[in-house]
Structure formats: structure tokens, C-alpha cells
């Protein structure tokens, strides 16, 4: 039950994009098509999950025993960057179609603050391994959910009768703001 | 000293992965992906389609 509460909180109530306003660059950049949004979402889930686990073990089995916790930030940044390089290499070799869809956005995952946030938040909250796993999956699932919803809305907006000055990013940003307002109504359900 | 060694190990791992990734051939049809991105006009972003237009140079 506790894990369910944590998951629902991470996905809906404390949604990383609409409540904490992190990861906005890929959120706006990848949401022009629902297909690329789904692909980006899965890539983010994979990277955040993997990077969070690696940083968790690095923190508790290397940094803490050696009393070099001050290296946490640089460690996490290097681990995330290295992991994204690995993911890009893996996608290039194994899924050219996915690379064609996502390739341009993969560098955005490296600098995506959501990845670093989840890695650091797991440590800051004092989560054990199971809570870390749940949080590391739930947060990017929430990210993917919002990304997909936003992509669907943008696809509809493209064919809508929008004033010329509002077409593209202006109306998209207004829509994102309205989504944030809508999600703020979920506060208190867990 | 431990921190320096630890940092160097991580840096070496990152550099090796970066070089391996750069050496991995790009799939067919994906050579000019950056031209496809027009989501924003941020010229400082390497993923942006306006990056090269503003004189940026891509490393990979």
C-alpha cells in the first residue's frame, strides 16, 4: 500500500513536469507527435531507472563508506552522462527506427534535470532499495504520461483554428499551464 | 586522494563510452536528424535545428 501511495504520488500528485516544473525542455521539444512522445517516455524511464539504481549503489557502497559524500553531485552527473551514451549506442545498434525517432533527443536526456533530480531525491528522502526502485519507475511514468497527453493535445491544436500569433509554442505553453492547473487539483488524494 | 581516484575512474568510463558511441555507425537515414528538430529556437541547444544556422558545430 505504501508503494502504491508512493507511485500515485510520483505519477499524479507530485508530477515531475506539472508540479515540480522539471524536464521542460524535452517536454516541449518532443511533444509535437504522440509517437515520439511515447518513445521518449520509454527512453526516459529506462535511463532514470538505470541511472537511479547505479547511483544508489555507488552512493551507499562507495561514497558513504569512504566518507566522500561531497562527490555525490559530480558522480551522479558522470554516471547519467555515461549511461545515456550507453543507451544511445544500444539504440543505434539494435533499433534504427527508434534511433530515427529519438536520436536527436537523446542528448536532451543527459541534461534533463529530471534524471538528476530522481537520483538525488532517492538519497535525500532516505529511500531503501525497494522505495528507490518504485520511485525511479513512477516518476518517469508520470513524465511519460504528461508528455503523451501534451503531445495528443498539441496534435489537436495543430489542426485547430488558432490565431496566427498563438500558433506553435505560445498556445502550447498556455496549454501546459492549464494542464498544471488541472493536475494541481489532484493534491490531497494521497 | 580517494575522491580523485574515484573521479578519474568515472571520467575514464565516461570517455570510453563516449568514444565507443562516437565510433558506432549511425543507422541509415539518420545522418541529418538535427535538421528535423524545430521545436524551439534555442540556438545554444545542439539538438536544435537552428544550432548550425547560428554557426554551431556538432561533434558527432
Amino acid at each position: 500500500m505504501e508503494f502504491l501511495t508512493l507511485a500515485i504520488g510520483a505519477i499524479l500528485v507530485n508530477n515531475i513536469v506539472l508540479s515540480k516544473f522539471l524536464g521542460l525542455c524535452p517536454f516541449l521539444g518532443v511533444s509535437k507527435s504522440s509517437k515520439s512522445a511515447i518513445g521518449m517516455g520509454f527512453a526516459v524511464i529506462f535511463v532514470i531507472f538505470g541511472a537511479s539504481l547505479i547511483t544508489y549503489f555507488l552512493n551507499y557502497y562507495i561514497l558513504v563508506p569512504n566518507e566522500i559524500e561531497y562527490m555525490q553531485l559530480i558522480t551522479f552527473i558522470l554516471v547519467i552522462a555515461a549511461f545515456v551514451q550507453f543507451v544511445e549506442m544500444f539504440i543505434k545498434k539494435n533499433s534504427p527506427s527508434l534511433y530515427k525517432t529519438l536520436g536527436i533527443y537523446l542528448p536532451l536526456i543527459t541534461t534533463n534535470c529530471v534524471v538528476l533530480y530522481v537520483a538525488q531525491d532517492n538519497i535525500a528522502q532516505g529511500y531503501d532499495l525497494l522505495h528507490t526502485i518504485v520511485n525511479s519507475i513512477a516518476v518517469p511514468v508520470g513524465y511519460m504520461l504528461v508528455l503523451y497527453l501534451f503531445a495528443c493535445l498539441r496534435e489537436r491544436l495543430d489542426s485547430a483554428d488558432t490565431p496566427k500569433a498563438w500558433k506553435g509554442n505560445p498556445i502550447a505553453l498556455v496549454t501546459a499551464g492549464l494542464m498544471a492547473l488541472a493536475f494541481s487539483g489532484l493534491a490531497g488524494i494521497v | 586522494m580517494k575522491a580523485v581516484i574515484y573521479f578519474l575512474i568515472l571520467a575514464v568510463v565516461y570517455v570510453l563510452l563516449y568514444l565507443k558511441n562516437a565510433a558506432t555507425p549511425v543507422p541509415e537515414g539518420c545522418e541529418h536528424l538535427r535538421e528535423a528538430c524545430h521545436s524551439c529556437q534555442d540556438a545554444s541547444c545542439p539538438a536544435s535545428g537552428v544550432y548550425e544556422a547560428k554557426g554551431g558545430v556538432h561533434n558527432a
Side-chain angles (χ1 to χ4, degrees), chain A residues 72-127:
Chain A
Q72 196 181 86
L73 183 60
I74 189 69
T75 297
F76 288 7
I77 289 170
L78 278 172
V79 165
I80 289 163
F83 196 69
V84 170
Q85 292 295 316
F86 172 75
V87 168
E88 188 172 353
M89 198 166 49
F90 184 84
I91 292 178
K92 265 187 206 175
K93 281 187 180 171
N94 294 294
S95 181
S97 58
L98 190 62
Y99 185 78
K100 197 168 186 179
T101 312
L102 289 183
I104 190 172
Y105 302 118
L106 283 172
L108 284 176
I109 300 181
T110 307
T111 53
N112 190 348
C113 44
V114 175
V115 189
L116 185 59
Y117 169 79
V118 174
Q120 291 204 302
D121 191 50
N122 289 333
I123 308 300
Q125 298 288 342
Y127 288 152

Side-chain angles (χ1 to χ4, degrees), chain A residues 28-29 32 58 62-63 66 68 70-71 74-75 78-79 81-82 85 88-89 92-93 96 99-100 103-104 108 169, chain B residues 2-3 6-7 10-11 13-14 17-18 20-22 24-27 29-30 33-34 36-40 45 47:
Chain A
L28 288 172
K32 284 207 159 187
L58 275 175
I62 296 179
L63 296 184
N66 291 299
I68 48 173
Y70 54 87
M71 294 290 290
I74 189 69
T75 297
L78 278 172
V79 165
Q85 292 295 316
E88 188 172 353
M89 198 166 49
K92 265 187 206 175
K93 281 187 180 171
Y99 185 78
K100 197 168 186 179
I104 190 172
L108 284 176
N169 285 332
Chain B
K2 280 185 208 172
Y6 174 65
F7 171 76
L10 284 178
V13 167
Y14 169 70
L17 278 170
Y18 176 82
K20 188 101 171 90
N21 184 29
T24 305
V26 174
C30 302
L33 283 179
R34 284 179 180 85
C37 183
H38 297 285
S39 301
C40 66
C45 175

Side-chain angles (χ1 to χ4, degrees), chain A residues 10 14-23 114 117-118 139 142-143:
Chain A
N14 297 314
N15 186 276
I16 195 75
V17 179
L18 299 179
S19 295
K20 298 192 186 300
F21 306 110
L22 294 174
V114 175
Y117 169 79
V118 174
V139 170
Y143 184 83

Side-chain angles (χ1 to χ4, degrees), chain A residues 10-50:
Chain A
I11 293 170
L12 295 175
V13 181
N14 297 314
N15 186 276
I16 195 75
V17 179
L18 299 179
S19 295
K20 298 192 186 300
F21 306 110
L22 294 174
L24 293 176
C25 185
F27 174 68
L28 288 172
V30 188
S31 56
K32 284 207 159 187
S33 135
S34 51
K35 193 176 166 190
S36 59
I38 290 281
M40 175 75 171
F42 280 117
V44 169
I45 290 173
F46 182 71
V47 169
I48 289 180
F49 180 67

Side-chain angles (χ1 to χ4, degrees), chain A residues 1-20 117 121 127 134-135 137-143 145-146 183 186-190:
Chain A
M1 192 63 191
E2 189 187 342
F3 293 128
L4 185 63
T5 306
L6 176 63
I8 292 175
I11 293 170
L12 295 175
V13 181
N14 297 314
N15 186 276
I16 195 75
V17 179
L18 299 179
S19 295
K20 298 192 186 300
Y117 169 79
D121 191 50
Y127 288 152
V134 171
N135 193 49
I137 293 174
V139 170
V141 165
Y143 184 83
L145 170 70
V146 169
F183 269 66
L186 295 169
I189 63 166
V190 288

